[in-house]
Amino acid sequence: MLFLFILLLSLLAQFFLPWWSIAVVCFGAAFLKARYGGQAFLAGFGAIAVTWLGAALFWHVVTDGLLSTRVAAMLTINSPWLLMAATALVGGVVGGLSALSGFYVRRAVV
Amino acid sequence: MKWVRAILATLLTLALVYALNRTFGIVPALGPFLSPYEGFWRSGSDDDFTSEELTLAGLKAPVQVRFDSLRVPHIFAQNDHDLYFAQGYLTAKDRLWQMEFMTHAAAGRLSELIGEQTLEMDRYQRRIGMVASARKSLEKMQADPQSKAVMDAYTAGVNAYIDQLSPRDYPFEYKLLHYAPEPWTTLKIALLLKMLAQDMTGYSDDLRMTNTLRKYGPAVVKDLFPNYPFREEPIVPAGTPTNFTPLPIPPSPAEFMAGMASHTLERQKPENLGSNNWAITGARTANGYPLLASDPHLNLSLPSIWHVVQLHAPGINTYGVIIPGAPGVGIGFNERIAWGMTNVGADVLDWYEIRFKDQKRQEYWHDNQWKPVRRVVEKINVKGGETLLDTVLYTHHGPVAYLPNEEPLRSGNTPTGHALRWTAHDTQNELKTLILVNRAANYQDFRKALTTWAAPAFNFVFADARNIAIVSNGLFPLKWQEQGKFLLDGSNPAHDWHGWIPMDQVPQVLNPQRGFVSSANQTPVSPKDYPYYLGSSFAGYERSARINQRLAAMTQATPDSFRLMQMDNYSFVPRNVLPTMLKLLDQPALSEKQQKVYQTLASWNYQFDADKIPPSLFEEWWQRLAHAIWVDDFPQDKFKAPTRDRLVQMILAEPNARWYDDVTTPQKETLPQLVNRTFKQIADSLGTEGDQLKWGTAKNSNIRHMAQLPGFGEKLFSGGSANSINALNGSHGPSWRMVVQMGPQVQAWGVYPGGQSGNPGSRFYDNLLNDWQSGKLHQLLFLRSAADRPATTSVQWTLKQH
């Protein structure tokens, strides 16, 4: 539930707001809905990782991977797929950590 | 406990978001950079390439833009304002980051984007007065209503594009470096023109020549550094009479020798790098009309140096290339004429030794009195650091680039405590020249347009349906013989520049007897045929000799003859010197392996082809031999070694010159000893790996991204050499190859290493690179009207006024 909630809300937010809106969404959603710390982290991590992975994959395919291949070479990882994994990981960690924070703050307040 | 946990987690989240939202040195801001909703992932798309209608505030009437298969925009406007507005808009769409980056570099503002690494580069730009002179030029350009209108319209067009961008639409490089485009200004156009002048003329040998003069005296300097080369084919054919009354030449003042300037040299100005252009008369072409070719050589980079465009409005229909960020067409053609440029390379930058009154440096000595020093404070903003204030001292000569206690950036060229006098500081309206050339209908119009072109001086080649011409045009200081060959005396008014060579007296030739005109940066005119001193270190004669040799043999020239010529890899350097070098080898003493190398070189046809091995062997041998001869007498950190031309002359005709001896050893070396020793060195160092020795690999040519980003450039495998017509050498080479056939219907062909788009994720970023390498030219689609040949373009934009 929480996973889906974050997924949809963050997707909506990211079409209009800067990237860090994912932290706000995850924090708020976990604050309202999370029941366990682990659940909050996993839902935040998973939802953001999925939105980032999906979008990265989408752009990679529609742009024939021209740019992602160059960026991967620039960052010396040489594989756009590795770059995609790193992208999902960065988004996921931000999502997970902010969701966990939201849950902890809720626990502290209530 | 709960609170501690909550606060810790929240702080950690905030710290993470903060850290990901900023750059650390060369590490990009990973959050916005990696996010596929705003970061680099979406920069790759090649969108907007379908027919559409756009509404743009600022247009006066609708504009039609037709894109051809190379994605070249053909702009059809109803008035000049809309024409240049649309050009600004479309150039920004393709090249916004590049145009802004170049102007930041010119203005000494890279540190704002990159940080401390570029601080010294920025300081150098400020010290040589780039922004100050751009401002002065801008004033001059804006005083002319037509130039002002063109600049304003173009600027408005660029800004119309910038204004509609949201951060997620920014070009890739903005996302990588984490900054936003700023509004375009007319000053940036002036800066681009100054940058062109700097690239072409911002060099000098004065300091190293002065060191040489002090060490060896005038007789040696006269012998080793002649004002006119041993072999030369001047642009104006020898013996061409002048038909003007020259101005009196300023008298040479009493001899002056500046103080020894002691700096470690970084590198010498590369010899023989420049451009080619030529034209042949209609009597010697297959279709009876003149043919013209132009290929400017520059430091190749991606995004491409040039942007291709066709501009059509009442009174103008022109096609060609221009540096993104400047309005109009720089090298190209219209319905009546075609033109191209090569660098002249005259001595238009001199250094004056400045004597300050005291350490406060508020006054300097000139014309027997103390004169005040003007101080200008330059503010350099540094990314992630403090703003740096730098005071630049100005004399009437120009800015004092470096003071005695400072470490200069290009220490070989920039003497400390010396003021810079440079034509880039003199204002003229180069933009006006482009505006008028683009509209010129004949040679008279063309020459009239050139009168406002000051810097950099170019050899302008010209052709129309009947005439061919070449003019070495620009602002040349009126000098006494050898003025500025060495450091000048900043206190003696006789050393000041004394006016200019009149624009109608610059070297020029119209329809010469020989039936062709050409230039390859060589001496414009023999001193026997010309009263004024232009300088003494022009490019070597080899490229021009090859061009002239081929043109002289043509009787039924076609555009394809010119295409093949542009790809010619032959070089006169080995032809002139290699047989002598081989003759000096002591053959019986050669090992079997050395014999093989000898045979390889002896059977070479002097073509620097990519898949051949002799060019690699010769280049290596020749460089080593030159080094062995000169390094003891002219160590590179302080002295300029004599030119290749002088060295060839010495090897051919002066077997006993004192310079062969290595003065650091007790015994006396001779030319044959050096030739044999260096030959054996290269022959013995050869491994068995043949592919590494192929010239295309050995010369290690590549084309880099303008910001040197790894992964954003390409390796090249191509023939040619610095002294071949196909002058690809290292990363320096033909940046645009154009062939134009004149006649009732002008036809043209062209190619450049890259593509129209500056987006490294676009197909059009480097789609022409392979064709350029293999020597293919594309026919350039030159449309007569908005409705001409509709089938040739599939994408059409309509730009509508608001």
Side-chain angles (χ1 to χ4, degrees), chain B residues 45-71:
Chain B
S45 85
D46 217 357
D47 54 1
D48 293 340
F49 204 45
T50 48
S51 293
E52 58 185 306
E53 274 195 7
L54 294 177
T55 305
L56 296 175
L59 285 175
K60 292 180 175 162
V63 177
Q64 299 296 325
V65 184
R66 292 170 57 188
F67 291 94
D68 62 29
S69 60
L70 299 178
R71 212 168 153 173

Short mmCIF file of all heavy atoms in Angstrom, two decimals, chain B residues 45-71:
data_model
loop_
_atom_site.label_atom_id
_atom_site.label_comp_id
_atom_site.label_asym_id
_atom_site.label_seq_id
_atom_site.Cartn_x
_atom_site.Cartn_y
_atom_site.Cartn_z
N SER B 45 17.38 13.14 -25.92
CA SER B 45 16.35 12.98 -26.94
C SER B 45 16.55 13.95 -28.09
O SER B 45 17.02 15.06 -27.94
CB SER B 45 14.97 13.17 -26.34
OG SER B 45 14.67 14.53 -26.32
N ASP B 46 16.22 13.46 -29.26
CA ASP B 46 16.42 14.20 -30.49
C ASP B 46 15.08 14.77 -30.94
O ASP B 46 14.69 14.64 -32.09
CB ASP B 46 16.94 13.22 -31.53
CG ASP B 46 17.95 13.88 -32.42
OD1 ASP B 46 18.19 15.09 -32.27
OD2 ASP B 46 18.49 13.20 -33.27
N ASP B 47 14.38 15.37 -30.02
CA ASP B 47 12.99 15.74 -30.31
C ASP B 47 12.92 17.01 -31.16
O ASP B 47 13.93 17.48 -31.66
CB ASP B 47 12.20 15.91 -29.00
CG ASP B 47 12.89 16.89 -28.07
OD1 ASP B 47 13.96 17.43 -28.45
OD2 ASP B 47 12.40 17.11 -26.97
N ASP B 48 11.74 17.54 -31.30
CA ASP B 48 11.52 18.78 -32.03
C ASP B 48 11.84 18.64 -33.51
O ASP B 48 11.94 19.63 -34.21
CB ASP B 48 12.38 19.93 -31.50
CG ASP B 48 11.97 20.32 -30.10
OD1 ASP B 48 10.83 19.98 -29.71
OD2 ASP B 48 12.78 20.92 -29.41
N PHE B 49 12.06 17.44 -33.99
CA PHE B 49 12.42 17.36 -35.38
C PHE B 49 11.26 16.88 -36.24
O PHE B 49 11.39 16.00 -37.06
CB PHE B 49 13.67 16.51 -35.58
CG PHE B 49 14.39 16.88 -36.85
CD1 PHE B 49 14.60 18.21 -37.17
CD2 PHE B 49 14.82 15.91 -37.73
CE1 PHE B 49 15.24 18.58 -38.33
CE2 PHE B 49 15.46 16.27 -38.92
CZ PHE B 49 15.68 17.60 -39.21
N THR B 50 10.12 17.48 -35.97
CA THR B 50 8.97 17.24 -36.83
C THR B 50 8.42 18.61 -37.20
O THR B 50 8.73 19.60 -36.54
CB THR B 50 7.88 16.46 -36.07
OG1 THR B 50 7.70 17.11 -34.80
CG2 THR B 50 8.30 15.02 -35.86
N SER B 51 7.65 18.65 -38.25
CA SER B 51 7.10 19.94 -38.67
C SER B 51 6.20 20.49 -37.58
O SER B 51 5.44 19.77 -36.95
CB SER B 51 6.29 19.76 -39.96
OG SER B 51 7.17 19.42 -41.00
N GLU B 52 6.31 21.79 -37.33
CA GLU B 52 5.45 22.37 -36.32
C GLU B 52 5.34 23.88 -36.48
O GLU B 52 6.05 24.49 -37.27
CB GLU B 52 5.93 22.01 -34.92
CG GLU B 52 7.35 22.44 -34.62
CD GLU B 52 7.80 21.94 -33.25
OE1 GLU B 52 7.08 22.22 -32.28
OE2 GLU B 52 8.85 21.29 -33.16
N GLU B 53 4.46 24.43 -35.69
CA GLU B 53 4.29 25.89 -35.66
C GLU B 53 4.70 26.38 -34.30
O GLU B 53 4.31 25.81 -33.28
CB GLU B 53 2.82 26.25 -35.89
CG GLU B 53 2.46 26.35 -37.34
CD GLU B 53 1.12 27.06 -37.55
OE1 GLU B 53 0.54 27.58 -36.56
OE2 GLU B 53 0.66 27.08 -38.69
N LEU B 54 5.49 27.44 -34.27
CA LEU B 54 5.90 28.00 -32.99
C LEU B 54 5.46 29.45 -32.94
O LEU B 54 5.53 30.15 -33.94
CB LEU B 54 7.43 27.97 -32.84
CG LEU B 54 8.13 26.64 -32.74
CD1 LEU B 54 9.63 26.86 -32.68
CD2 LEU B 54 7.65 25.91 -31.50
N THR B 55 5.05 29.89 -31.78
CA THR B 55 4.70 31.29 -31.63
C THR B 55 5.79 31.96 -30.80
O THR B 55 6.09 31.51 -29.69
CB THR B 55 3.34 31.44 -30.91
OG1 THR B 55 2.39 30.67 -31.65
CG2 THR B 55 2.90 32.88 -30.86
N LEU B 56 6.41 32.98 -31.36
CA LEU B 56 7.51 33.63 -30.68
C LEU B 56 7.25 35.13 -30.57
O LEU B 56 7.07 35.81 -31.59
CB LEU B 56 8.82 33.41 -31.44
CG LEU B 56 9.33 31.97 -31.54
CD1 LEU B 56 10.54 31.90 -32.43
CD2 LEU B 56 9.65 31.44 -30.15
N ALA B 57 7.25 35.63 -29.34
CA ALA B 57 7.12 37.07 -29.16
C ALA B 57 8.38 37.73 -29.68
O ALA B 57 9.48 37.27 -29.40
CB ALA B 57 6.91 37.39 -27.69
N GLY B 58 8.23 38.79 -30.45
CA GLY B 58 9.40 39.49 -30.95
C GLY B 58 9.52 39.45 -32.46
O GLY B 58 10.26 40.23 -33.04
N LEU B 59 8.82 38.52 -33.09
CA LEU B 59 8.84 38.48 -34.55
C LEU B 59 7.89 39.53 -35.11
O LEU B 59 6.88 39.88 -34.48
CB LEU B 59 8.41 37.10 -35.06
CG LEU B 59 9.42 35.97 -34.93
CD1 LEU B 59 8.78 34.67 -35.36
CD2 LEU B 59 10.67 36.26 -35.75
N LYS B 60 8.20 40.02 -36.32
CA LYS B 60 7.31 41.01 -36.95
C LYS B 60 6.37 40.36 -37.97
O LYS B 60 5.33 40.90 -38.27
CB LYS B 60 8.15 42.07 -37.64
CG LYS B 60 8.93 42.92 -36.64
CD LYS B 60 9.76 43.98 -37.33
CE LYS B 60 10.40 44.89 -36.28
NZ LYS B 60 11.53 45.65 -36.82
N ALA B 61 6.81 39.25 -38.52
CA ALA B 61 6.00 38.55 -39.54
C ALA B 61 6.34 37.07 -39.46
O ALA B 61 7.35 36.70 -38.87
CB ALA B 61 6.32 39.12 -40.92
N PRO B 62 5.54 36.21 -40.07
CA PRO B 62 5.86 34.78 -40.01
C PRO B 62 7.18 34.46 -40.72
O PRO B 62 7.53 35.09 -41.71
CB PRO B 62 4.68 34.12 -40.73
CG PRO B 62 3.59 35.12 -40.71
CD PRO B 62 4.25 36.45 -40.72
N VAL B 63 7.89 33.46 -40.19
CA VAL B 63 9.15 33.01 -40.77
C VAL B 63 9.02 31.53 -41.09
O VAL B 63 8.53 30.75 -40.27
CB VAL B 63 10.32 33.22 -39.76
CG1 VAL B 63 11.62 32.67 -40.33
CG2 VAL B 63 10.46 34.69 -39.40
N GLN B 64 9.45 31.14 -42.31
CA GLN B 64 9.47 29.72 -42.66
C GLN B 64 10.87 29.16 -42.45
O GLN B 64 11.84 29.78 -42.90
CB GLN B 64 9.11 29.53 -44.15
CG GLN B 64 7.73 30.02 -44.55
CD GLN B 64 6.64 29.25 -43.85
OE1 GLN B 64 6.77 28.05 -43.60
NE2 GLN B 64 5.56 29.96 -43.51
N VAL B 65 10.96 28.02 -41.81
CA VAL B 65 12.26 27.37 -41.65
C VAL B 65 12.14 25.96 -42.20
O VAL B 65 11.30 25.18 -41.75
CB VAL B 65 12.69 27.30 -40.17
CG1 VAL B 65 14.09 26.71 -40.06
CG2 VAL B 65 12.63 28.66 -39.51
N ARG B 66 12.97 25.65 -43.20
CA ARG B 66 12.96 24.28 -43.75
C ARG B 66 14.26 23.59 -43.36
O ARG B 66 15.34 24.13 -43.58
CB ARG B 66 12.82 24.34 -45.28
CG ARG B 66 11.44 24.85 -45.71
CD ARG B 66 11.39 25.13 -47.18
NE ARG B 66 11.73 23.95 -47.98
CZ ARG B 66 11.90 24.00 -49.31
NH1 ARG B 66 11.76 25.13 -49.97
NH2 ARG B 66 12.22 22.90 -49.96
N PHE B 67 14.16 22.39 -42.79
CA PHE B 67 15.34 21.63 -42.38
C PHE B 67 15.61 20.56 -43.42
O PHE B 67 14.70 19.80 -43.78
CB PHE B 67 15.12 20.96 -41.03
CG PHE B 67 15.04 21.92 -39.88
CD1 PHE B 67 13.81 22.40 -39.44
CD2 PHE B 67 16.19 22.33 -39.22
CE1 PHE B 67 13.72 23.28 -38.37
CE2 PHE B 67 16.11 23.21 -38.14
CZ PHE B 67 14.87 23.68 -37.72
N ASP B 68 16.87 20.46 -43.89
CA ASP B 68 17.19 19.40 -44.84
C ASP B 68 17.67 18.15 -44.10
O ASP B 68 17.64 18.09 -42.87
CB ASP B 68 18.19 19.88 -45.89
CG ASP B 68 19.52 20.30 -45.28
OD1 ASP B 68 19.90 19.74 -44.22
OD2 ASP B 68 20.19 21.18 -45.85
N SER B 69 18.15 17.17 -44.86
CA SER B 69 18.47 15.88 -44.24
C SER B 69 19.69 15.97 -43.31
O SER B 69 19.89 15.10 -42.48
CB SER B 69 18.73 14.83 -45.31
OG SER B 69 19.82 15.26 -46.12
N LEU B 70 20.50 17.03 -43.45
CA LEU B 70 21.62 17.21 -42.52
C LEU B 70 21.20 18.08 -41.34
O LEU B 70 22.01 18.44 -40.51
CB LEU B 70 22.81 17.87 -43.24
CG LEU B 70 23.38 17.08 -44.42
CD1 LEU B 70 24.51 17.87 -45.07
CD2 LEU B 70 23.90 15.72 -43.95
N ARG B 71 19.93 18.45 -41.34
CA ARG B 71 19.33 19.29 -40.32
C ARG B 71 19.84 20.73 -40.37
O ARG B 71 19.88 21.44 -39.37
CB ARG B 71 19.58 18.68 -38.93
CG ARG B 71 18.43 19.00 -37.99
CD ARG B 71 18.54 18.18 -36.76
NE ARG B 71 17.92 18.84 -35.63
CZ ARG B 71 17.75 18.28 -34.46
NH1 ARG B 71 18.16 17.04 -34.26
NH2 ARG B 71 17.20 18.93 -33.48
#
